[in-house]
Amino acid sequence: MTTKNNKLPLFVPSDFDATVGTFFDGFSKILVAIAVLSGTLCISSDVIFGTMMPGIGLGVLLLNGFFWYDARREAKKRNQPGLVAVPAGLQAGRIFIWLFSIMVPVYVSTGDAMLAFNVGVFANFIAGFIFVLGAIIIKFLLKVIPSSALFGALAGGAIVFLVLNPLIDMFQMPLIGWISFIVLLVIYLAKINTGKVPSAFITIAIGSAVAWILGNMDPAGISVATQNLGFYLPKITFDMFNPTVMSEAMKYLPIIIVFTISEVITGIQAVEQAKECGDEFNPTRLLIAAGLISSISALFGNPFALALYWGYPAWKEIKAGTGYSLAVGGVYLLIGLTGVAALVTALIPEVAALPVLVFIGLSSTAQAFEVNKSKYYPAVIVSMIPLLLEGLWGKFTAGITAGGSLLGESVSYDIAQLAQLGEKTGFETFSHGSAFIGIIFGSIIAFIIDKKWKNVAATCVMGSLLTTVGIIHVAQIPTNLSMITTNLTSTYSIMYLGTAIVFAVLHFLKFSQDEI
């Protein structure tokens, strides 16, 4: 029970527990990201610890600082000192979608590590504004896009980028990866109570211990890492506005839009968790703040999105307050400005943290089925397929362009030959805009299940429009009337328009509507 005499403390004892839990939940993902950036993309330590980490530290401080301020303002206004700040920080899912579906493909296709990094940064910059727009129009989108199609497309991305890719990399050191994976599965699936210690932290710690015991880690790496210790101020990075960077980023616009909009939904659900605990916040205000601050942090070299976290009920239950949010931001800033992350990554092998990604991917995939009725499962599955095909094709082309083997024979193709091979095998159909293609296919299936012929027709018209403007199926966005005409008369556009006409006729004939 609250009274007007109650003071609003800056920190309460339980804020320490909430700080530890929230920090390690997000920072464990950063450790994996750093390992991928340095190991796979060959990004220099100067860029990672001198540019990216200060940008991340600044972004997380601004975001958590705003959420701290917003919660305290609401607590004072309502005379509710027990109000908890909504958790927020780096968005784990999009960290790895950005890495494996944007930055790694750019590096594989161009061999330019800095181009790949800057494309990721620019993608985060524009995603922030998409996030803001999504916060404003999300209610409308949820009315026109079936959840089975949207969540199915997201599940497809989760399987490819958070399950398949990490699983393959995990078995480069199978013993370490397997032990970490089993530990994580036991904790999560058997619902083992780990107290105040985050499950991801336990998994990474055990995997790292095994790696050091087996001699897979180089002690000299610690000495090298200490050279990155210092003081790094955030600095604005203008390289992301290079025309080459922006042009390359536009190729991944469907991925950027779809997965950013999905996080708007996640953000709304995070605020709904607070509402279920009896605490109400303005979701639009928090979402807009997250989007804008994410774009600001991108200006300072952060390629990874900021967003709202789930977990409000847990912090409410332990009677945390608002102080933990500010503390989390402060810890991130401290690490970002000092290069301490380099020392941490020297102690922890990438393979020990990869199982965390696999579990995130499995959970995201399961959610697609949990939030939909069983009759819509076909729509969920069909929505997943385009992203799966694009992911498999990307993995295949990355291997053979590097001189890998195909059916036991050594092969080497250039880009033109791969495009021809893709057309012959059908993979090229899904290599452009697979996320949007998945939503379109899934929406068509869902509307057919509900006998909404008019909606099927409208979806097909949208498919033709997206093909015409070069977002899906075709290789490039048109820059003149001739290219627009070519896309409009392509097989894919005609396919969609023909289907739209058929279902428009079924709608006007009221075909089988009496059975609905």
Side-chain angles (χ1 to χ4, degrees), residues 33 37-38 41-44 46-56 98-99 102-104 106-107 110 112-125 235 237 239-240 245 248-249 297-298 300-304:
L37 288 171
S38 61
L41 273 69
C42 303
I43 303 293
S44 70
D46 289 342
V47 173
I48 294 174
F49 304 111
T51 300
M52 185 186 79
M53 287 306 298
I56 288 175
W98 254 232
L99 280 172
I102 298 178
M103 298 168 76
V104 169
V106 171
Y107 178 68
T110 66
D112 190 332
M114 282 309 300
L115 175 62
F117 178 79
N118 286 320
V119 167
V121 173
F122 183 72
N124 185 30
F125 179 74
K235 53 188 177 183
T237 56
D239 291 344
M240 68 172 173
V245 172
E248 191 71 26
S297 71
F300 290 89
N302 173 24
F304 303 129

Side-chain angles (χ1 to χ4, degrees), residues 3 40 144 260 271 332 390 453 489:
T3 70
T40 303
V144 298
T260 298
V271 179
Y332 266 99
E390 184 192 22
W453 315 133
T489 56

Side-chain angles (χ1 to χ4, degrees), residues 475-492:
Q476 58 186 348
I477 297 175
T479 56
N480 55 55
L481 182 60
S482 176
M483 294 175 67
I484 292 175
T485 302
T486 299
N487 288 353
L488 180 61
T489 56
S490 68
T491 301
Y492 304 110

Side-chain angles (χ1 to χ4, degrees), residues 27 39 109 135 147 301 321 353 373 379 449:
F27 192 68
S109 64
S147 66
K373 296 179 180 178
I449 291 171

Side-chain angles (χ1 to χ4, degrees), residues 493-512:
S493 181
I494 293 173
M495 172 188 76
Y496 286 122
L497 288 175
T499 307
I501 293 172
V502 171
F503 279 94
V505 171
L506 293 180
H507 169 69
F508 286 113
L509 293 177
K510 300 186 182 300
F511 176 72
S512 193

Side-chain angles (χ1 to χ4, degrees), residues 267-292:
I268 290 176
Q269 292 171 332
V271 179
E272 285 296 314
Q273 284 189 329
K275 188 176 180 180
E276 291 172 2
C277 295
D279 298 335
E280 291 196 33
F281 294 88
N282 184 323
T284 304
R285 182 169 65 230
L286 296 182
L287 289 169
I288 289 176
L292 292 177

